[in-house]
Amino acid sequence: KIAGLKSKEKIDLIVGGPPCQAFSTAGKRESFRDPRGNVFLYFIKVITDLMPNYFVIENVRGLMSASLKHRPHNQRGKGFPPLSPDEAPGGALNYILTELKKSGYEISFNLYNSANYGVPQKRERIIIIGSIESKVQHLKPTHHENGEYGLKKWVDIKEAFKGLGRKKMHHINFPEKRLKYYKLLKPGQNWRNLPIELQEEAMGKSYHSGGGKTGFYRRLAWDKPSPAVVTHPAMPATDLCHPEKDRPLSVEEYKRIQQIPDNFFLAGTTLQQYKQIGNAVPVGLGEAVGKGIVDHNNGV
């Protein structure tokens, strides 16, 4: 009714990315216990009710390891009971695939890096493709990091930003107390490249936490694709600083990285525009998915 379709009309394709926050490793990972995770269940219900010829679901890498019932890491291991089946990694994805297969779909899914499809960004996303008739093959890459296997070389941000120097940039700024550290960093460097006596001062409490922490005070390198653009380019753990200028990436640079046309209008404040772009799927990856479905439909 909302889409203006007749009740008996056959649908070729349903495509979308249900909210990912419930499965992201950056969040609490409440899966389907999170209201946003329940939107995923409704998305599946729409697919199984309408039974399109094809469906596409896009989501974050964290979906692969998300459980149906997440147990905090400080309640695991020695002194705690073993994980139940509902708490085991991968339970959420297994549940999703099982429900879709029960409806008669042949399903292929994989983790894809956008850089392998001509996108100037290393953005990994799960793509689940379902077909009523036969399985859609995995997407064929067009690019490789150094141009191996007869493929094109990854697109770097120097190439992506060509011609932007003449355009007005819209961006937020780093807080002054952090800006002094960026001024000490060269393209491709992060907090680990700061003078040793400044590293703990710059990082604060995060200095003593685990993990690689490569997103802190991160200047992008001209000769590489961007890391995955996020919904805010100046959050301490996921900084996206321009390779040379002492500022976060601009909205215009975000567009180039996600392959959104320069003249594509975005409503809202600068922060709202960052969020819209950061939540999007890069054009090159979307094109690869579309081509895979068209080829399958045409028997290629």
Side-chain angles (χ1 to χ4, degrees):
K1 189 174 180 180
I2 293 169
L5 298 166
K6 296 169 186 172
S7 59
K8 302 286 185 184
E9 195 164 352
K10 186 61 185 171
I11 298 169
D12 292 308
L13 170 68
I14 292 177
V15 56
C20 63
Q21 293 92 336
F23 307 104
S24 173
T25 52
K28 294 182 179 179
R29 313 200 81 189
E30 293 288 335
S31 292
F32 302 125
R33 297 155 71 90
D34 185 314
R36 295 167 299 187
N38 282 329
V39 178
F40 208 128
L41 296 180
Y42 184 74
F43 192 95
I44 294 170
K45 184 177 186 303
V46 170
I47 291 170
T48 55
D49 282 353
L50 298 179
M51 293 298 291
N53 290 331
Y54 295 95
F55 70 79
V56 177
I57 300 173
E58 174 266 351
N59 219 271
V60 294
R61 180 189 184 121
L63 178 61
M64 295 184 77
S65 59
S67 57
L68 279 171
K69 182 182 177 183
H70 180 66
R71 188 195 294 184
H73 289 279
N74 61 3
Q75 297 174 22
R76 304 184 190 192
K78 191 174 180 180
F80 293 98
L83 296 176
S84 69
D86 280 357
E87 294 171 327
L93 179 59
N94 184 59
Y95 177 83
I96 291 164
L97 298 178
T98 300
E99 290 300 301
L100 292 165
K101 287 175 181 176
K102 282 196 302 192
S103 295
Y105 281 104
E106 295 289 331
I107 295 173
S108 66
F109 73 94
N110 205 356
L111 183 69
Y112 295 102
N113 185 344
S114 297
N116 292 333
Y117 300 91
V119 179
Q121 178 186 185
K122 292 180 283 186
R123 187 185 189 92
E124 291 186 319
R125 289 295 181 267
I126 287 179
I127 304 288
I128 304 170
I129 304 177
S131 170
I132 287 290
E133 294 184 359
S134 59
K135 189 177 289 190
V136 177
Q137 297 302 306
H138 288 161
L139 308 180
K140 296 176 182 176
T142 55
H143 294 65
H144 197 279
E145 184 171 6
N146 297 307
E148 296 95 331
Y149 311 110
L151 301 174
K152 299 175 185 175
K153 190 177 178 181
W154 278 355
V155 180
D156 58 37
I157 62 169
K158 185 175 183 180
E159 176 71 22
F161 290 177
K162 272 186 180 175
L164 273 183
R166 298 183 297 274
K167 294 182 179 289
K168 178 175 172 56
M169 297 288 114
H170 297 84
H171 60 85
I172 58 174
N173 293 309
F174 291 120
E176 280 296 325
K177 64 180 181 179
R178 290 168 58 204
L179 192 57
K180 66 177 184 179
Y181 303 115
Y182 285 107
K183 292 178 178 178
L184 300 172
L185 298 172
K186 297 176 182 177
Q189 294 186 336
N190 62 30
W191 71 276
R192 292 184 184 277
N193 301 104
L194 290 170
I196 193 74
E197 66 273 11
L198 289 180
Q199 290 182 8
E200 186 170 358
E201 175 187 299
M203 294 290 284
K205 292 179 181 178
S206 299
Y207 182 79
H208 299 284
S209 65
K213 302 187 282 279
T214 55
F216 285 84
Y217 297 100
R218 176 172 55 186
R219 267 199 190 277
L220 273 61
W222 281 119
D223 60 351
K224 294 179 181 177
S226 168
V229 294
V230 289
T231 56
H232 192 304
M235 297 300 283
T238 53
D239 283 342
L240 291 166
C241 185
H242 187 278
E244 293 176 1
K245 300 182 187 301
D246 297 324
R247 61 163 174 80
L249 292 179
S250 68
V251 168
E252 290 73 19
E253 289 156 350
Y254 253 49
K255 280 183 173 181
R256 288 288 184 92
I257 289 170
Q258 288 278 55
Q259 302 175 308
I260 297 169
D262 291 348
N263 62 358
F264 196 90
F265 175 75
L266 292 168
T269 65
T270 300
L271 275 177
Q272 289 169 335
Q273 291 179 41
Y274 278 126
K275 188 172 183 178
Q276 291 171 68
I277 302 171
N279 278 330
V281 174
V283 171
L285 183 57
E287 182 180 10
V289 172
K291 187 177 187 303
I293 290 174
V294 170
D295 286 349
H296 181 271
N297 191 58
N298 292 335
V300 176

